[in-house]
Amino acid sequence: MPSCPSGHHSTATDFCDTCGLRLQAYSPSPPPQPYRPPPPTSPFPPQAPPRTPAPRRPSAAPRGGPCPECTTSRTGRFCEECGYDFASQPDSPVRRHSGPGEAPAAAQWRAVITADPAYYQYMVDQGMLDPAQISFPAMNRQRRVNLRGDRLHIGRRSASRGFTPEIDLGGPGGDPAVSHIHAILVAGPDGTWAIVDPGSTNGTMINGTANTIPRKVEVPLNDSDRIYVGAWTVIIVQKG
């Protein structure tokens, strides 16, 4: 039944007979809820769950060590004694060796080796050799070597070391100013070639005689480049 907001008893159903206020519809109040104490709180702040440590990656094997060819202590990429290229080790990412049975690269390269009288005269004029001690060879025999494999050594055979380079410039009538390991021709993964001087005595020059190439640095080669070593030797690399 509607009731007066002020608590008056009214016989009317819309406005109070006593004060004239609009009567309000009766709505029973909800029963009181029993008291429930709050849950106990911890005096310590919540902690994050322990983190699982990430698995440790195995440490890489230490690089270096003696040369596998002559046991000389390693000081760089190339062995100071025999010219061994440490990048040729199986675990090295520097260069991938071609395995047996793999198809050769499409481009074929060769080296043409001969004695250059102009280069010899330049060395004499620069005072870098004595013509009375080292004379230009009477027999100028040209030879060709196909460039195959991953690397070819340029130098002179050493009986004491048991080493013979793929391009041997020594022997009877050979170039005496060439070091035993004078330079190394290195194959690239794209079929190109580069040359490295691992530390020769007289240096290596390309397409001229003004400056030697930096040592222990791969220098890319192009078709018909001329490599000068020793007292008179020129090596012309040819593609195709």
Side-chain angles (χ1 to χ4, degrees):
M1 179 179 179
S3 61
C4 173
S6 299
H8 300 138
H9 178 74
S10 175
T11 59
T13 59
D14 49 358
F15 294 94
C16 179
D17 294 334
T18 303
C19 64
L21 294 177
R22 182 180 293 276
L23 302 179
Q24 296 179 348
Y26 172 78
S27 58
S29 59
Q33 297 292 329
Y35 173 77
R36 293 182 179 178
T41 58
S42 173
F44 303 101
Q47 298 181 353
R51 297 177 59 186
T52 303
R56 297 182 59 184
R57 297 180 60 185
S59 57
R63 293 186 175 274
C67 173
E69 296 291 337
C70 65
T71 70
T72 301
S73 297
R74 177 178 180 179
T75 58
R77 173 175 171 179
F78 297 94
C79 176
E80 297 286 351
E81 183 69 17
C82 70
Y84 178 79
D85 186 356
F86 288 95
S88 65
Q89 297 186 59
D91 61 345
S92 172
V94 175
R95 189 172 306 280
R96 187 184 73 86
H97 291 259
S98 57
E102 292 187 3
Q108 299 295 323
W109 291 70
R110 61 182 172 271
V112 180
I113 303 105
T114 188
D116 187 347
Y119 171 52
Y120 171 81
Q121 190 60 47
Y122 171 84
M123 298 290 285
V124 172
D125 295 341
Q126 295 295 316
M128 301 180 69
L129 60 86
D130 183 0
Q133 299 292 328
I134 301 177
S135 58
F136 190 78
M139 299 294 294
N140 186 0
R141 183 173 60 89
Q142 185 183 99
R143 56 194 175 100
R144 296 170 180 249
V145 175
N146 292 325
L147 305 187
R148 296 173 180 172
D150 289 329
R151 57 189 51 80
L152 291 88
H153 297 79
I154 301 171
R156 291 187 296 114
R157 183 178 66 88
S158 173
S160 60
R161 300 175 184 174
F163 172 75
T164 301
E166 289 80 7
I167 299 179
D168 188 1
L169 303 178
D175 193 329
V178 172
S179 300
H180 286 288
I181 303 294
H182 196 104
I184 305 172
L185 294 172
V186 183
D190 55 351
T192 59
W193 287 83
I195 188 169
V196 180
D197 187 326
S200 65
T201 302
N202 298 320
T204 303
M205 291 159 279
I206 299 178
N207 297 333
T209 53
N211 298 302
T212 58
I213 64 175
R215 296 180 178 180
K216 300 182 181 181
V217 175
E218 287 191 15
V219 179
L221 293 173
N222 298 310
D223 184 20
S224 301
D225 275 353
R226 303 170 70 89
I227 304 168
Y228 295 92
V229 298
W232 58 68
T233 302
V234 59
I235 302 172
I236 307 171
V237 291
Q238 298 176 342
K239 178 182 178 181

